[in-house]
């Protein structure tokens, strides 16, 4: 981690919602999901917020040997977003405690606030993490 990684770092990320990021696309195997409205899925919204945090952190890590993984998310999903709208995620580092990072996150679809909350990430050494995974694979 670089010395530049401090609270107050902000990033804004934009993305136009395609049909492939809607509720029916989340689990194509599920007839229940297939019957639901074609709006931005909460699962994809969480991933979009994580994406913004990853990009926010990238200049402050020794990328790609250092990366970050999500460890906790607490967000609302306040408004439905149909495909074709551009969503904007705004993320800000609010705490750096060793390798644990906390973010304030929000998203807007140009009409409504669609999400707000907090997200925690943990900085990992990619090689050490992969070695632990390999060990876990051998144990199963």
């Amino acid at each position: 981690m670089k010395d530049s990684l401090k609270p107050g770092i902000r990033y804004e990320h934009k993305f136009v919602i395609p049909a492939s990021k809607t509720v029916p696309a989340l689990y194509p195997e599920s007839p229940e999901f297939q019957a639901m409205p074609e709006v931005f899925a909460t699962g994809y919204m969480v991933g979009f917020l994580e994406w913004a945090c990853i990009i926010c952190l990238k200049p402050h890590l020794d990328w790609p040997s250092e990366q970050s993984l999500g460890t906790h998310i607490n967000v609302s999903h306040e408004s439905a977003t149909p495909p074709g709208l551009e969503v904007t995620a705004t993320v800000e580092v609010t705490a750096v405690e060793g390798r644990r990072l906390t973010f304030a996150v929000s998203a807007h679809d140009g009409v409504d606030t669609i999400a707000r909350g907090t997200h925690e990430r943990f900085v990992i050494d990619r090689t050490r993490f992969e070695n632990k995974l390999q060990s876990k694979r051998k144990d199963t």
Side-chain angles (χ1 to χ4, degrees):
M1 295 174 11
K2 298 177 181 174
D3 290 340
S4 60
L5 181 53
K6 298 182 186 316
I9 296 168
R10 293 175 55 90
Y11 179 73
E12 194 174 272
H13 190 60
K14 296 179 182 294
F15 183 70
V16 176
I17 303 303
S20 63
K21 299 297 183 252
T22 62
V23 176
L26 189 59
Y27 276 98
E29 308 83 0
S30 166
E32 294 80 10
F33 274 82
Q34 295 308 302
M36 304 223 13
E38 192 177 1
V39 294
F40 194 25
T42 302
Y44 286 123
M45 184 189 73
V46 167
F48 174 64
L49 293 167
E50 286 198 273
W51 184 13
C53 291
I54 290 166
I55 295 171
C56 178
L57 290 175
K58 199 172 168 184
H60 308 283
L61 300 177
D62 292 323
W63 183 272
S65 62
E66 279 186 323
Q67 296 180 6
S68 67
L69 294 174
T71 55
H72 186 83
I73 187 124
N74 183 11
V75 294
S76 60
H77 193 167
E78 301 178 14
S79 184
T81 303
L85 290 187
E86 182 178 69
V87 292
T88 302
T90 303
V91 301
E92 180 178 350
V93 177
T94 58
V96 177
E97 300 167 40
R99 293 184 167 272
R100 190 179 86 165
L101 313 171
T102 305
F103 288 83
V105 297
S106 64
H108 197 281
D109 66 10
V111 178
D112 294 307
T113 295
I114 64 168
R116 65 180 113 212
T118 59
H119 177 45
E120 290 182 5
R121 300 189 69 76
F122 195 83
V123 177
I124 62 158
D125 175 282
R126 178 66 190 258
T127 302
R128 281 186 31 212
F129 188 83
E130 289 293 335
N131 289 339
K132 285 182 183 179
L133 280 183
Q134 189 61 26
S135 175
K136 192 172 192 176
R137 287 182 186 111
K138 290 178 187 174
D139 292 343
T140 57

